[in-house]
C-alpha cells in the first residue's frame, strides 16, 4: 500500500543556476520555480497564496537567519538578507507544497546545498554590474512636469569568487567563497 505524499520539490542544479538569465540571487531564481510568486520588492516569496514571511531559507538542511523570531528568516523569507553566498551553492531545492510536521508554517522553503572541495582545484567567478547609462526614463513630456525625476543609479556591481580543492588527497578538501556587493544611487 502506498502512502499519500504532499511534498513537492523543484531542484535547480548548479548547471541550471549558471545558465539562468537575470537570476543573480536566490530570490530572483525562485521566479523560475512553477507556482512561486515574488509579490513585491521587500518581501519573501509565496506559493499558492502563502504569506511571504512564512518562507524559510536553509543551508544544507539547517535554518539560517533569525530563527527565534515568530516567522520567516529575518522576517524576509526566501531571498532575505540572510540568503547564502551565490558562489558557495551547488544546488537550490525549493519545497513548494504542504510542509512536513516539523515546520510550523506552510510557506516556501529553500534549502541551499553547499559546494564542496574535491581532489582537483576548481573555481568559479560571478561578476555583474550596471551603471546609470543602462537606466532609461519612460516618462512622457507631460508626465515629466508632474512626476519628479526618479533616483538615478550611479552604479551597482557584485564580485563573487569561489575556489576549492584538496588539502589531503582523498581525505580532506576545502571550499571558500567571498562576495562584494556595492550600489550607489
Amino acid at each position: 500500500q502506498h502512502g499519500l505524499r504532499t511534498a513537492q520539490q523543484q531542484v535547480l542544479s548548479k548547471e541550471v543556476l549558471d545558465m539562468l538569465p537575470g537570476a543573480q540571487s536566490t530570490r530572483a531564481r525562485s521566479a523560475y520555480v512553477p507556482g512561486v510568486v515574488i509579490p513585491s520588492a521587500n518581501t519573501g516569496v509565496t506559493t499558492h497564496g502563502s504569506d511571504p514571511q512564512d518562507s524559510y531559507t536553509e543551508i544544507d538542511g539547517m535554518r539560517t537567519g533569525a530563527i527565534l523570531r515568530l516567522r520567516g528568516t529575518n522576517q524576509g523569507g526566501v531571498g532575505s538578507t540572510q540568503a547564502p553566498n551565490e558562489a558557495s551553492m551547488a544546488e537550490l531545492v525549493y519545497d513548494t507544497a504542504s510542509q512536513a510536521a516539523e515546520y510550523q508554517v506552510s510557506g516556501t522553503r529553500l534549502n541551499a546545498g553547499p559546494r564542496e572541495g574535491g581532489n582537483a582545484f576548481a573555481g568559479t567567478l560571478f561578476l555583474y554590474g550596471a551603471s546609470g547609462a543602462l537606466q532609461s526614463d519612460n516618462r512622457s513630456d507631460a508626465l515629466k512636469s508632474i512626476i519628479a525625476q526618479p533616483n538615478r543609479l550611479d552604479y551597482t556591481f557584485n564580485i563573487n569568487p569561489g575556489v576549492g580543492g584538496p588539502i589531503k588527497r582523498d581525505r580532506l578538501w576545502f571550499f571558500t567563497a567571498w562576495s562584494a556587493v556595492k550600489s550607489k544611487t
Side-chain angles (χ1 to χ4, degrees):
Q1 192 176 47
H2 299 286
L4 294 176
R5 215 181 122 107
T6 60
Q8 182 175 350
Q9 292 183 335
Q10 179 74 32
V11 178
L12 300 179
S13 67
K14 186 66 179 154
E15 293 77 25
V16 172
L17 293 174
D18 290 344
M19 291 186 308
L20 292 176
Q24 290 91 10
S25 70
T26 55
R27 189 167 183 272
R29 288 172 176 160
S30 64
Y32 287 96
V33 177
V36 174
V37 175
I38 304 171
S40 67
N42 296 318
T43 66
V45 301
T46 68
T47 305
H48 310 297
S50 64
D51 189 314
Q53 293 193 32
D54 284 346
S55 58
Y56 286 98
T57 301
E58 296 178 349
I59 297 177
D60 206 17
M62 177 182 265
R63 291 235 332 247
T64 63
I67 61 173
L68 298 178
R69 293 193 181 180
L70 295 175
R71 301 184 317 181
T73 302
N74 199 23
Q75 301 299 324
V78 173
S80 72
T81 57
Q82 302 297 323
N85 181 312
E86 302 296 317
S88 67
M89 293 182 291
E91 69 179 12
L92 300 175
V93 179
Y94 291 87
D95 285 334
T96 58
S98 299
Q99 299 299 329
E102 63 265 20
Y103 298 100
Q104 72 272 27
V105 294
S106 64
T108 308
R109 185 175 67 92
L110 165 65
N111 186 19
R115 291 182 67 178
E116 300 172 351
N119 281 331
F121 283 99
T124 187
L125 177 63
F126 293 103
L127 293 171
Y128 62 87
S131 70
L134 298 174
Q135 188 173 352
S136 67
D137 184 354
N138 64 351
R139 297 174 301 149
S140 66
D141 289 335
L143 286 177
K144 286 181 181 179
S145 64
I146 300 170
I147 300 173
Q149 170 74 29
N151 289 340
R152 298 290 294 178
L153 174 70
D154 287 338
Y155 62 85
T156 184
F157 69 85
N158 184 355
I159 301 170
N160 191 195
V163 65
I167 294 174
K168 184 170 180 167
R169 188 164 185 79
D170 295 327
R171 300 254 183 218
L172 184 61
W173 306 275
F174 78 95
F175 185 84
T176 185
W178 171 78
S179 181
V181 180
K182 178 93 172 155
S183 293
K184 182 179 177 196
T185 55

